Each structure stands twice: as C-alpha cells, then as structure tokens.
Amino acid sequence: MTKTPVPSPLTARMGEAIREARTRAKLSAPEVAKRCADLGVPIPPTGINKIENGGRGSMKVEELLALAAVLDVPLASLVVPLGAEATVDLLPNLNLPCWEAVQLITGEDSRGDEPEGSPRGTLAVFREHEIDVQTATISTRAARDFRAQAGKSSVGSDRYDQLTRQAAEMERIAHEDCRRLLNTRQRMRDLGLHPAPLPEHLAFVAQEEEVPN
C-alpha cells in the first residue's frame, strides 16, 4: 500500500498559499496546470490539488517558480506568511521573523557597503538602476507636462512665464536624472552586468550608451 507523503511544514504552508492565490486569481486547477505547462513545467491538475491539500512531500524549485508566475504573486509570498504570523520556520532549524525571512529570499537584507561583484553587491546596483529609471521617468514626464501646459497659455502672460520657468527647471532636473541613469548603466557594463532594457519612454537614454560589440 502506497503511503501519502507527509509534507514538511514549509511544503504544507506553500500549498495553502498556492490555493489562496489560485482562488484570488479565479483560476481552476486545470487552468493553472495548462499555464504551467506553457511555461515548460508540466504539473497535472491532480498535482496542483495534491500540492494544495498537503499530498506532496516536497516541491521542486521550478514548480514553485512556475506557480508564482502563473498566479502573478511574489515568490516570497508563497514561502513566507508575511503579515499572518510573527515568525516562520523557514527550515527545520531556522526560525526567523517573517520580514527577515522575506529579506533572505529577496536579498533585501542590505548590510551596508557590499563588495562589487558579490551577490548582494550585484543586487544593490540593480536596485540603484531601478530607482534611477523611476526617477528619470518622473522628471522627464513632469518636464514634458510643464512644457505642454506652457504651450497652451498665452505667450507673455504671467501663467506662461511661470510654466516656462518650471519647464526649464524640470528639464534641467530630468537631464541630470537621465545622465545619472546613463552612468549607472555604464558602471553596470563595466562590472560585466547586463542592465535591464529601458522602457520605451526612456529609449533616448539607451541611444547614448556605448554598448560593446
């Protein structure tokens, strides 16, 4: 007689989180199974049910990644009951506050100046790049909006003069933000890293890059 595998607390917790995420997404087990298969990770509907109901003793990393992608949830949220519990047994002999467990998974536990090329150092520079992208996005859009508003005002009016000054100042800020973004991208390439593609509205920054052949 085949015995049902006993899930570890981690696997059981992930099963519950997957079931909750699937319910929120209003997806059936067959739908989730098909989407996982489309990602190259076949999990039959019966497998989805076993995972959710504690009928699996363990899960493969690629299965967890596929389920997180299909259910459109952060991977960490399937592993850590953030907000629901104070601490979590991440491993049999590793109990952590939930936020520290999430930080361990995501690499958010920055410890100050990390050596360039180290795993945390690499994460830090990618975070810096993301912040630079967001900052440049905000300033370039604000500059464009101020300039557009000035164009709708009567030339020579107080409102036109005010908006023109604001547009010029925001354009200066946007130029500095874009230059900082460009420098960060070049620094990443100097470290042998591949910066993430820029969004279409910042494509002009990419045109200034010196990308090696």
Side-chain angles (χ1 to χ4, degrees), residues 27-84:
L27 294 172
S28 67
E31 288 173 326
V32 172
K34 182 182 182 305
R35 296 187 187 190
C36 286
D38 290 342
L39 295 176
V41 183
I43 309 175
T46 54
I48 301 293
N49 289 329
K50 284 183 178 180
I51 289 172
E52 293 182 352
N53 297 318
R56 286 273 299 270
S58 62
M59 285 183 62
K60 297 178 180 179
V61 173
E62 55 265 32
E63 290 176 331
L64 187 60
L65 289 170
L67 287 165
V70 167
L71 298 173
D72 192 24
V73 294
L75 177 62
S77 72
L78 297 181
V79 181
V80 180
L82 186 62

Side-chain angles (χ1 to χ4, degrees), residues 3-187:
K3 292 184 178 180
T4 301
V6 178
S8 68
L10 174 62
T11 304
R13 185 169 62 247
M14 290 190 298
E16 293 175 2
I18 290 165
R19 182 176 63 250
E20 291 173 0
R22 182 176 63 78
T23 301
R24 285 195 303 271
K26 298 180 179 179
L27 294 172
S28 67
E31 288 173 326
V32 172
K34 182 182 182 305
R35 296 187 187 190
C36 286
D38 290 342
L39 295 176
V41 183
I43 309 175
T46 54
I48 301 293
N49 289 329
K50 284 183 178 180
I51 289 172
E52 293 182 352
N53 297 318
R56 286 273 299 270
S58 62
M59 285 183 62
K60 297 178 180 179
V61 173
E62 55 265 32
E63 290 176 331
L64 187 60
L65 289 170
L67 287 165
V70 167
L71 298 173
D72 192 24
V73 294
L75 177 62
S77 72
L78 297 181
V79 181
V80 180
L82 186 62
E85 303 288 344
T87 64
V88 60
D89 289 325
L90 199 59
L91 295 171
N93 296 322
L94 180 62
N95 180 276
L96 294 173
C98 284
W99 179 237
E100 288 187 19
V102 170
Q103 289 177 312
L104 178 64
I105 295 170
T106 63
E108 295 292 331
D109 55 336
S110 176
R111 302 174 184 179
D113 295 331
E114 300 291 343
E116 289 186 345
S118 69
R120 284 188 174 83
T122 298
L123 281 170
V125 73
F126 270 92
R127 289 194 197 97
E128 181 181 345
H129 178 266
E130 180 62 21
I131 292 172
D132 288 344
V133 168
Q134 294 174 3
T135 303
T137 295
I138 292 171
S139 58
T140 53
R141 285 178 175 172
R144 179 197 60 197
D145 291 345
F146 276 124
R147 187 61 66 183
Q149 289 299 318
K152 296 177 183 178
S153 303
S154 300
V155 176
S157 66
D158 290 343
R159 181 61 174 161
Y160 173 83
D161 292 341
Q162 178 188 23
L163 289 170
T164 299
R165 288 194 301 271
Q166 289 175 320
E169 175 61 16
M170 191 54 66
E171 286 165 352
R172 181 190 66 78
I173 294 172
H175 177 77
E176 292 179 356
D177 290 342
C178 291
R179 178 56 54 183
R180 184 182 303 108
L181 171 59
L182 185 62
N183 290 340
T184 297
R185 291 176 68 80
Q186 186 57 53
R187 179 158 60 90

